[in-house]
Amino acid sequence: MHRILLPAVLLLLVASAAAQDEDPPIPADTEVKTTPSGLKYCVLTPGDPKGFHPRAIDGVKVHYTGWLTDGKLFDSSVRRGEPAHFPLRQVVKGWTEGLQLMTPGARFKLTLPGELAYGAAGQPRAGIGPNATLIFEVELLEVLRAPDFRKADPNAQKTTDSGLKYELVKPGVGKSPASSESFELKYALWTADGELVDCTEWTGQTIKGSREHM
């Protein structure tokens, strides 16, 4: 059975990086702001003024580098040469808040106090101690917009012999795939009261497979 559900908690990837580049200083003419939560941020490069700010339910595609307060680099998508994709509400609190201040193309420096990062538990395998303050340079490359919840229409629903209820939202073209044929799809999963649980838009990827292997 192919699993489509993400884990309930997905923390920001903090795999140890080989590079030890030090945290570059903030330009002297750059204003550092502090939000009510204690998050500090500054704009290194402004984003698209007409672009979307990500919502907490959206996914994002970013490049980032993270340092400890002593300047030690502990993780970097830039060093790995591959942007990171993740749902915004399933990372540390400082990222969920900070990324919502950005639009595509923006590059911010974020300083997360321990309570907005990994808290008392830290991330020992990445060298992050209890209540450690973390510093990130983040570039928002793309907002992966989650679909809006659409209530089911009981009058439009049909029921299969097994009891499955379904509703045609938009007609497709061609034939339905046979059990042995492969297909590619996007999906979104909500609770009955409209809470988004999982969707392919969070990662910008699709699901591929066949009916007999799903």
Side-chain angles (χ1 to χ4, degrees):
M1 179 67 70
H2 184 83
R3 289 185 60 84
I4 63 173
L5 296 181
L6 293 173
V9 177
L10 178 63
L11 295 179
L12 178 66
L13 177 66
V14 288
S16 179
Q20 297 295 318
D21 293 359
E22 293 187 355
D23 173 23
I26 296 173
D29 59 349
T30 302
E31 180 183 6
V32 178
K33 299 180 180 180
T34 304
T35 71
S37 71
L39 172 71
K40 294 182 182 297
Y41 72 95
C42 66
V43 180
L44 301 177
T45 303
D48 181 356
K50 297 182 179 179
F52 286 112
H53 290 270
R55 304 164 297 175
I57 65 169
D58 291 331
V60 292
K61 177 181 177 181
V62 301
H63 259 314
Y64 69 90
T65 301
W67 297 270
L68 303 176
T69 53
D70 63 4
K72 180 180 178 181
L73 183 150
F74 64 84
D75 189 24
S76 175
S77 68
V78 178
R79 295 289 178 258
R80 288 192 297 274
E82 183 176 356
H85 302 74
F86 51 79
L88 196 53
R89 70 181 185 183
Q90 293 186 359
V91 291
V92 292
K93 294 179 181 178
W95 272 63
T96 302
E97 179 181 358
L99 268 291
Q100 290 184 77
L101 302 173
M102 303 173 71
T103 58
R107 187 167 57 91
F108 278 25
K109 177 161 282 191
L110 306 176
T111 300
L112 282 56
E115 61 270 22
L116 298 182
Y118 292 100
Q123 283 286 318
R125 287 185 298 177
I128 300 174
N131 300 311
T133 295
L134 304 180
I135 302 168
F136 290 97
E137 190 170 298
V138 185
E139 180 182 5
L140 178 58
L141 302 175
E142 184 179 355
V143 178
L144 307 171
R145 300 284 287 185
D148 294 322
F149 178 65
R150 179 183 180 278
K151 289 186 177 181
D153 180 0
N155 296 322
Q157 287 183 334
K158 296 181 180 181
T159 305
T160 67
D161 293 339
S162 68
L164 171 69
K165 294 182 182 296
Y166 71 95
E167 175 185 344
L168 178 62
V169 176
K170 180 181 178 181
V173 296
K175 298 180 179 179
S176 298
S179 60
S180 61
E181 292 180 320
S182 62
F183 59 82
E184 183 176 0
L185 60 82
K186 293 183 178 182
Y187 70 88
L189 174 64
W190 293 271
T191 62
D193 59 0
E195 180 182 354
L196 184 62
V197 177
D198 189 20
C199 71
T200 49
E201 297 300 334
W202 278 344
T203 60
Q205 298 177 346
T206 56
I207 294 296
K208 298 179 181 180
S210 63
R211 288 168 55 188
E212 64 183 7
H213 293 122
M214 294 295 283

